[in-house]
Amino acid sequence: MNLLVLGPQGAGKGTQAKRISSEYGIPHDSAGDMFRAEQAAGTELGKRVGEIMATGQLVPDELTIAMIENRLKQHDARNGFVLDGFPRNLAQAEALDRMLHSLGRDLDAILFFDVPDDVGLERALKRAELEGRQDDTPDVIKKRLEIYHRETEPVIEHYRATGKLVPLHAGGTVEQVWNEITRALDMLGEDAA
């Protein structure tokens, strides 16, 4: 099962993607986590990414696309994946479409976590406090929300046209959202059977 999770900061994508990974036995690939791992390792990419992320800007497409392509070619992603934090703009979505086509794969569903900005901001700030994420300050989160509305919302419309977009009411509790997700994924399984 090849899945994307899309939505604004604080929508709960990471929380639910980890649960999907665990329940369905497919890797959760978070672009943000991959970038933070590069930073922690002190790689050249990590240093470049750290400077960019500290300002709330998006990492350049060519770096992100290369990293994602490398990840999806790995053995454990052969039977599926949950991709989180990518694509963030139309150029990345089109690159992902080409990448998957070249790998002989297709997306099964795009889970769209729809949540109001004020809820997402509150959740992201709480997450930053709990996880000690220094890149999640109020100003940086607001900047990312602005970028999300300008650059990522068109990605949602790109995937809506495929008929595979699954809108979720992400303002609910973790369990309410999980129930929506499992209903959608169960229906996918029935359609594939």
Side-chain angles (χ1 to χ4, degrees), residues 69-80:
E69 183 170 17
N70 181 53
R71 177 64 187 104
L72 295 183
K73 288 179 177 178
Q74 293 178 16
H75 180 75
D76 68 329
R78 191 176 56 200
N79 293 325

Side-chain angles (χ1 to χ4, degrees), residues 43-97:
T43 67
E44 190 57 40
L45 172 62
K47 291 174 189 168
R48 290 174 59 194
V49 165
E51 293 167 4
I52 295 165
M53 289 175 68
T55 66
Q57 298 296 318
L58 295 180
V59 176
D61 289 352
E62 64 275 3
L63 295 177
T64 307
I65 292 165
M67 183 182 68
I68 297 295
E69 183 170 17
N70 181 53
R71 177 64 187 104
L72 295 183
K73 288 179 177 178
Q74 293 178 16
H75 180 75
D76 68 329
R78 191 176 56 200
N79 293 325
F81 56 84
V82 182
L83 193 53
D84 173 9
F86 180 88
R88 295 210 181 210
N89 60 47
L90 276 176
Q92 289 182 0
E94 290 163 356
L96 178 63
D97 294 346

Side-chain angles (χ1 to χ4, degrees), residues 119-172:
V119 173
L121 177 63
E122 183 181 323
R123 286 179 178 174
L125 288 172
K126 191 175 291 185
R127 175 188 67 196
E129 185 180 321
L130 290 172
E131 296 179 7
R133 285 177 50 173
Q134 297 172 357
D135 60 323
D136 280 350
T137 65
D139 287 342
V140 167
I141 293 168
K142 287 177 185 172
K143 176 83 170 169
R144 287 189 190 135
L145 284 170
E146 288 172 18
I147 293 170
Y148 168 80
H149 290 300
R150 184 177 64 246
E151 297 186 22
T152 307
E153 282 182 346
V155 173
I156 294 159
E157 296 313 310
H158 170 80
Y159 286 118
R160 189 182 310 274
T162 68
K164 296 179 180 183
L165 189 79
V166 179
L168 302 166
H169 302 94

Side-chain angles (χ1 to χ4, degrees), residues 87-113:
R88 295 210 181 210
N89 60 47
L90 276 176
Q92 289 182 0
E94 290 163 356
L96 178 63
D97 294 346
R98 286 189 303 273
M99 182 190 315
L100 290 173
H101 180 74
S102 74
L103 295 171
R105 301 169 81 172
D106 199 7
L107 291 171
D108 294 302
I110 299 90
L111 304 176
F112 169 44
F113 289 70

